Amino acid sequence: MPEIDINGLDGLQKAFMSMVNDFPEEKRKLMEQVGDTLVNHIKPLTPVNVHPPPNYKHTPGQLRESVRKKIRGNYAVVKSGERYAHLVEAGHVIANRKAQSSKVHKKGKNKGDFKLVAQPLGFVKGVWMFKRGTEAAMPKIKRLVDDFVKRVTDK
């Protein structure tokens, strides 16, 4: 293994990524494990009975089942395939579409145009399944990375 010259945090990150890329099979295994760990922590926190946007075909548990991992180079990406997942994650305003909407001037190019704004009825708090699941998974992910470093430095 070549010597590593490290200057500051940026140097440490570059040195680590260089070491990681020297072991592609081990890196792939680590990314798979990290992705699986994240999915296993996020899915149980994902609600089953949610109310999706109107005119959206939905079955109970669909949001939870849509949580998947993808490995992209040096990253394990975990996301939902449902277009309303971000609303469940961070919360959203409930609007009354049946009440009379008010006209509001648009900003930007078409300043003279109006858009209709529905009356807000309330706010649904976010579940934060991705945030909380990631936080809960961090101790295990740190152990996985430590094990990876130990394996590749012993070679």
Side-chain angles (χ1 to χ4, degrees), residues 37-48 64 88-90 125-139 141:
T37 300
L38 286 167
V39 168
N40 291 338
H41 281 79
I42 293 168
K43 266 192 176 185
L45 299 173
T46 305
V48 176
R64 181 179 286 178
V88 176
E89 174 75 6
K125 286 185 177 180
V127 176
W128 300 107
M129 63 268 190
F130 285 92
K131 180 182 179 189
R132 293 184 307 130
T134 301
E135 289 169 354
M138 286 313 292
I141 290 171

Side-chain angles (χ1 to χ4, degrees), residues 12-65:
L12 178 62
Q13 182 180 10
K14 286 179 185 174
F16 181 75
M17 293 314 297
S18 173
M19 180 185 71
V20 166
N21 291 328
D22 287 342
F23 301 93
E25 291 302 317
E26 291 288 331
K27 177 180 87 170
R28 180 75 182 175
K29 181 180 172 185
L30 174 65
M31 293 298 102
E32 291 286 343
Q33 291 173 327
V34 168
D36 290 340
T37 300
L38 286 167
V39 168
N40 291 338
H41 281 79
I42 293 168
K43 266 192 176 185
L45 299 173
T46 305
V48 176
N49 295 321
V50 295
H51 301 286
N55 302 322
Y56 189 79
K57 291 183 180 178
H58 174 77
T59 57
Q62 188 171 328
L63 179 61
R64 181 179 286 178
E65 289 307 311

